[in-house]
């Protein structure tokens, strides 16, 4: 049985230590045959650094490492000088000197590798010198590989002034590439985010963005076929459909993808379903961004976003939906062209790991119930499992009663039903249910539909209105007809909230008998 390459980003180490390896060299060959300059955005721990190191070994001419892989007998492996720039390690928050020091250190490593001395030149001058002198010394054009190009900006995402300074440092550094074009064979730039090319890569008009190019959809990440073939001796006895639901689902217009980090840890930890990828991140910046703007949470998790909004990502303006997509908390559900020919993208949560974790983060944002959250989740789950709707409502009342006043005071939508439905939505999503907000029927929109294994709940909310109005609206508009052919029990649940008491004041439940 081979070794699981957990945390290994060095291609030669994976090959020499007989680790599992999903062959991505056919994508490398396609890039090399196309030539030019490429940009790729993927979430963290998705395999970007390993792919970049694979490219480096190809350009260095280390053909023996690729025996048995797709590219082995299809490429000449002619050696080229390689310059590698990485911001993957280090914390660049609050201090721009950390960026300068990192660049100086990385450039020093490249000088040693290439046998070229920059002397006392500035970072930008040294970068330009390395490119030109490498070309002259080795008589071959240079390959430039840049990893985590955006980390100094992302580390300062909630500090706009420092983020701008980080952007300007990087913009000046990357501008060297444009003026050195005559010496360059290949450029590959990776990162988590897609900051505006205009503001960060000014002049690199030939930089091809392959982030959502279907020809490179599976350039990073594992497909389910990879799991069945490459890791076949590790998956015996596993519920593969549950693995799919937990970890699969990232979409770049090819086959659905797993984050490799999740799969490798899942296989190494006795097949325990846990939030492996989520636990390695620090999503607190999402809460900080939420506090800057008011968002209706159910709309975030089912967003429809224009191509322009997906691309308009910069320090001065970061669309929260685009941020969630680029960082891996949302993925693309489908691509839609409207009647005017404009391209839009429908976003969704990729899998159960993110559904559980992201909604628990939203619970903290909406309610500040850090200690009580898991107990409340268990109570709601047990009540719904046994159709104990009085207990379900009482548990919701407890949730609303223990939300600190400050959360209401700081949230303008707490005066409207959107706040109350958001709290209920995130709790039900955190339980793993299929929850549909603003569920469209031919008679109107259902506030929330909850699809469970054995039943469907149709919920309607009102604020400061009479008790029977929510149920009356569901029945008069016959919202439930949409789900009659699913052969499940259907329950209509109406809730009225008192804005002064900030809680459920009245409620009704009826079972559909049709």
């Amino acid at each position: 049985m081979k070794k699981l390459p957990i945390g290994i980003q060095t291609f030669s180490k994976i090959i020499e230590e007989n680790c599992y390896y999903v062959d991505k060299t056919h994508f490398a060959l396609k890039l090399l045959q196309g030539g030019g300059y490429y940009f790729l955005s993927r979430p963290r721990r998705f395999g970007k650094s390993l792919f970049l190191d694979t490219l480096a070994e190809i350009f260095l001419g280390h053909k023996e490492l690729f025996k048995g892989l797709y590219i082995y007998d299809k490429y000449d492996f002619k050696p080229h000088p390689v310059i590698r720039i990485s911001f993957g390690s280090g914390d660049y928050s609050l201090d721009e000197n950390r960026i300068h020091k990192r660049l100086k250190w990385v450039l020093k490593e490249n000088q040693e590798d290439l046998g070229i001395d920059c002397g006392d030149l500035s970072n930008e001058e040294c970068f330009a010198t390395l490119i030109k002198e490498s070309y002259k010394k080795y008589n071959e054009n240079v390959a430039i590989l840049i990893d985590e190009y955006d980390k100094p900006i992302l580390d300062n995402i909630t500090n706009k002034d420092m983020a701008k300074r980080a952007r300007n440092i990087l913009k000046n550094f990357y501008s060297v590439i444009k003026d050195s074009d005559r010496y360059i064979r290949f450029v590959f730039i990776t990162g988590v985010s897609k900051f505006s090319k205009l503001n960060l890569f000014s002049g690199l008009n030939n930089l091809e963005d392959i982030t959502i190019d279907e020809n490179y959809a599976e350039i990073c990440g594992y497909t389910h076929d990879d799991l069945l073939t490459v890791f076949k001796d590790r998956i015996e006895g596993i519920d593969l459909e549950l693995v799919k639901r937990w970890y699969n689902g990232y979409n770049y217009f090819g086959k659905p993808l797993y984050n490799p980090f999740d799969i490798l840890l899942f296989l190494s930890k006795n097949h325990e379903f846990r939030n492996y990828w989520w636990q390695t991140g620090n999503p607190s910046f999402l809460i900080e961004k939420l506090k800057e703007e008011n968002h209706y949470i159910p709309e975030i998790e089912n967003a429809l976003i224009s191509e322009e909004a997906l691309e308009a990502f910069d320090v001065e303006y970061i669309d929260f939906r685009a941020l969630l997509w680029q960082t891996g908390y949302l993925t693309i559900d489908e691509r839609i062209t409207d009647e005017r020919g404009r391209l839009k993208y429908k976003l969704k949560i990729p899998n159960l790991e993110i559904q559980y974790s992201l909604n628990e983060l939203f619970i903290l944002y909406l309610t500040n119930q850090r200690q009580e959250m898991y107990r409340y989740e268990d109570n709601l789950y047990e009540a719904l499992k046994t159709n104990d709707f009085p207990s379900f409502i009482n548990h919701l009342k407890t949730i609303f009663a223990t939300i600190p006043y400050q959360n209401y005071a700081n949230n303008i939508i707490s005066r409207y039903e959107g706040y109350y439905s958001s709290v209920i939505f995130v709790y039900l999503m955190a339980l793993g249910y299929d929850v549909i907000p603003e569920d469209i029927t031919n008679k109107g929109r259902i506030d929330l539909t909850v699809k469970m294994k054995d039943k469907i709940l149709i919920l309607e909310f009102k604020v400061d209105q009479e008790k029977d109005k929510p149920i009356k609206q569901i029945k008069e508009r016959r919202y439930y007809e949409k789900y009659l052919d699913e052969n499940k029990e259907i329950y209509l649940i109406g809730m009225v909230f008192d804005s002064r008491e900030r809680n459920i004041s009245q409620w009704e439940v009826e079972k559909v008998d049709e």
Side-chain angles (χ1 to χ4, degrees), residues 66-77:
F66 295 88
K67 195 167 185 179
L69 299 179
Y70 181 85
I71 199 172
Y72 181 72
D73 57 356
K74 299 176 180 66
Y75 186 70
D76 62 9
F77 288 90

Side-chain angles (χ1 to χ4, degrees), residues 411-421 463 497 499:
N411 201 317
I412 192 170
I413 64 168
S414 65
R415 296 195 295 271
Y416 310 106
E417 64 188 57
Y419 177 78
Y420 303 105
S421 62
V463 177
F497 293 88
S499 60

